[in-house]
Amino acid sequence: MRFHLTRFAVATRFTLLEHGRNRFAMILVILFVPVWTTLAYLAMPDTPARMRLRATGEALAPHGNELTSISGALNAVTLITGFMMFAATFSGSGFDRRLAMAGYPRAQLVLAKVTALALVSAAVAAYATAITCLAWTPRQPLLLAAALFCAGLTYGALGVGFGSLLGREVEGMFAIVMTSIIDLALQNPITSSGADNPVVRYLPSYGAMQASTAAGFSTSPVPGHLAIQLSWFAGAALLALLGFRRSTRNCLPSTAPTSPLGPEGSKAGLPRPRQAATPTASASDTEAP
């Protein structure tokens, strides 16, 4: 047991160090979250937007800028966690493969990535919640943080999957950005007239969007929609696990199988050793004086 805990601790430490070396991601966390959330709050009009919250069935009329700031916080959290996990997985795939081929347990490597994802998502979600509370006061700040955390988990797992399956960095970045933009833009009633369409229920951050909207403008708890978001995380984690297993598989060529033995014990397909020719009786008679 102690052996496995040591391997897990070592893998987690190296994974967190890899995230710490990503200075661009650190800059995004420090600057992108407050800038995007604040701009969404200041640039949008505060005209009430009438909507029906499906999570609770309530008819709400939140200020447009406050509703957009929630969407902006979700967009920032999903982009940053997805980017960080993708960058760490893509750049460290070769190292992970060598560790797995050298006999390092892949279970500890996977658990280390999950632990790092949870820590990154928690930190970014708490930071985004604090920034949001500086602009206006949501009714349930803890529920808002939980919704942002679950959305970060989902997109972080998607980032691991993209980093394991896609061959080029630009492909993974484009996949994360476009998935987050389409996902959240369609659910915001300020920017999308189809926010009430039943199709949005199948979007990756539907549960988090419903829970965070309830956190901002309702006092009703919505554990069911947090569970929906966690189910999306489970699906994304399965994709990430399959991708990680594929990227760390043994790529060494297998040893050639032994050929079956011939009737005389020599290997089939190999030439027999040459034997010295024995002189025939006619040849000896010819050479005799």
Side-chain angles (χ1 to χ4, degrees):
M1 184 66 180
R2 184 176 180 181
F3 172 78
H4 293 293
L5 289 176
T6 302
R7 291 292 183 93
F8 167 70
V10 171
T12 303
R13 182 167 64 89
F14 277 105
T15 304
L16 292 176
L17 287 175
E18 182 69 21
H19 286 300
R21 294 192 185 99
N22 192 344
R23 297 183 179 179
F24 182 65
M26 297 298 105
I27 294 175
L28 285 179
V29 172
I30 296 173
L31 297 180
F32 181 70
V33 173
V35 168
W36 179 216
T37 304
T38 304
L39 284 178
Y41 178 79
L42 296 177
M44 297 299 295
D46 60 355
T47 306
R50 298 186 179 278
M51 58 173 291
R52 180 171 296 277
L53 183 62
R54 292 181 179 177
T56 61
E58 299 176 74
L60 303 176
H63 294 292
N65 55 348
E66 295 176 353
L67 184 60
T68 306
S69 69
I70 286 181
S71 178
L74 275 170
N75 187 222
V77 170
T78 54
L79 283 176
I80 289 176
T81 54
F83 166 71
M84 291 183 67
M85 297 306 298
F86 168 79
T89 303
F90 187 84
S91 61
S93 60
F95 183 63
D96 290 337
R97 186 182 301 112
R98 289 192 295 271
L99 284 177
M101 292 171 61
Y104 205 99
R106 282 190 288 187
Q108 274 76 8
L109 294 175
V110 171
L111 288 176
K113 290 186 180 297
V114 173
T115 302
L117 170 59
L119 293 176
V120 169
S121 299
V124 178
Y127 184 55
T129 302
I131 295 298
T132 303
C133 291
L134 291 177
W136 58 284
T137 305
R139 296 193 177 184
Q140 302 182 74
L142 292 180
L143 179 58
L144 177 60
L148 295 177
F149 172 71
C150 294
L153 286 178
T154 302
Y155 273 80
L158 287 176
V160 174
F162 291 152
S164 301
L165 296 174
L166 299 181
R168 293 190 298 175
E169 191 170 5
V170 65
E171 296 174 357
M173 296 302 302
F174 182 81
I176 293 171
V177 171
M178 293 308 299
T179 302
S180 179
I181 290 177
I182 295 173
D183 181 13
L184 294 167
L186 291 177
Q187 297 187 67
N188 188 354
I190 305 298
T191 59
S192 173
S193 59
D196 293 332
N197 194 300
V199 176
V200 300
R201 297 182 179 182
Y202 304 101
L203 294 176
S205 66
Y206 171 74
M209 185 67 179
Q210 290 291 307
S212 59
T213 304
F217 313 107
S218 174
T219 57
S220 302
V222 286
H225 285 73
L226 290 179
I228 292 175
Q229 192 60 49
L230 289 177
S231 66
W232 266 100
F233 164 65
L238 179 59
L239 172 66
L241 179 61
L242 294 176
F244 182 77
R245 182 180 179 84
R246 175 180 176 272
S247 66
T248 57
R249 70 186 186 276
N250 192 344
C251 297
L252 291 177
S254 58
T255 56
T258 304
S259 302
L261 296 179
E264 299 181 1
S266 60
K267 294 183 178 180
L270 295 179
R272 296 184 180 182
R274 298 184 59 184
Q275 299 178 354
T278 56
T280 63
S282 59
S284 59
D285 293 343
T286 304
E287 295 177 358

